[in-house]
Amino acid sequence: MASIIKDGIKIHTASVKAVDLLHEAQTAAESRNTTSASPESISIRIKIFHSSFSSVIGETCTFSLLVSADSSRNPFFHKGCTYIPDTDELYVTSDLLQSSSSSRLPVILISKLAFRRASDSDSSSTPVSGIEWMKLRPPANMPMPSGAIRYKKGVLYCSQGSLEPNSGGLFYMPLGKRPVPLVTNYFGKAFNSIQSVVEDSDGGLWFTDSCAGLEQDIRPPPQLPPHVYWFHPTTGELRVVADGLKRPTGIALSPDGGTLYVTDTEAARLGNTMIPTSSATIYAYDIVRRPGTSPLLINKHVFSFAFSGVPAAVTCDSAGNVYAACGDGVEVWNSGGTALGLIQIPGACSSLCFGRNGEIFVCGGQTLWRVQLGGAAFHA
């Protein structure tokens, strides 16, 4: 597919407002109103719920709308937001796109965005001035990619699989090379639709598996319940580490490796008629490591419930703050679960990742945003 080049990307300053949670709260109606105008005419707003959020956003927070696919209405920027620092590139997976043939399943494309910076400096505040955007078809052996992370010299993808019963799994795709399967089943039983993955300091991979593919008619009936798994590529050990979640989706590790965050997005399940009473929850687990054994999860507890929509993706900064892509933008908490603030972005968000220090990329379906945070936490 031909690449698209965009130059002259504008930088804007986000408005900042301190919110008294006792008298004023973010409402679903307010979030919906932000989608009535075109993305180019909408500003990102910062809402401060706790004074310590100032150490995250800094004195000035800027943003840029990198890409808008508004004219095509295709959700090219949906999942798997992954930044590669060595090449200064971003990879993103789309939502389901209608195939050109009515007899074929929908397709998912991978977007590759190569950045041009305003200067040659490696400063964390160096903005993106231009991009080259290429849309790539996933290799045939890695159908329907969803979540992804930077891994070794490339990207590790969560392949949801297709209607073929033995498809899907975790695939390592070195840059410019074909993907290599790391794990594709649980002792002979196919995974349902792997959604997200995170790597720990020992090389272990934690990942979520839900029935999202069945909901969208791209996967056969499940052979396993929705689970959270731990897998070590060196030893081949694969374990179920958490169950009881209805739709496990996002996953993240605290910077010290002691806490695992998992989101349950049952409220976003297709066909769900009980949305107001369904899970839109981030759960936290303590990770226990005993000599001679693989890690265990204990002390599951509610970390937070999304203010709007569902926490489709989650990540942490180096200070342990937790960021979730939700219906109103990026919701932020400290490690204790106290709501710090909101980066209010037009439309619902579905994926996010950090780039250079303090730089965060946010996927909004038809839009891709760059937000530059300037807090002390990113300049330690």
Side-chain angles (χ1 to χ4, degrees), residues 1 12 26 29 86 90 139 164 172 178 206 234 272 292 343:
M1 298 182 184
H12 308 276
Q26 167 73 10
D86 293 343
L90 188 75
E164 294 295 326
Y172 167 46
R178 293 188 59 80
W206 306 76
T234 301
N272 186 355
I343 304 172

Side-chain angles (χ1 to χ4, degrees), residues 47-53 56 321 332-334 338-342:
K47 292 194 171 185
I48 299 176
F49 300 153
H50 192 278
S51 59
S52 62
F53 196 43
V56 175
N321 299 314
V332 186
W333 301 264
N334 66 15
T338 297
L340 299 183
L342 169 68

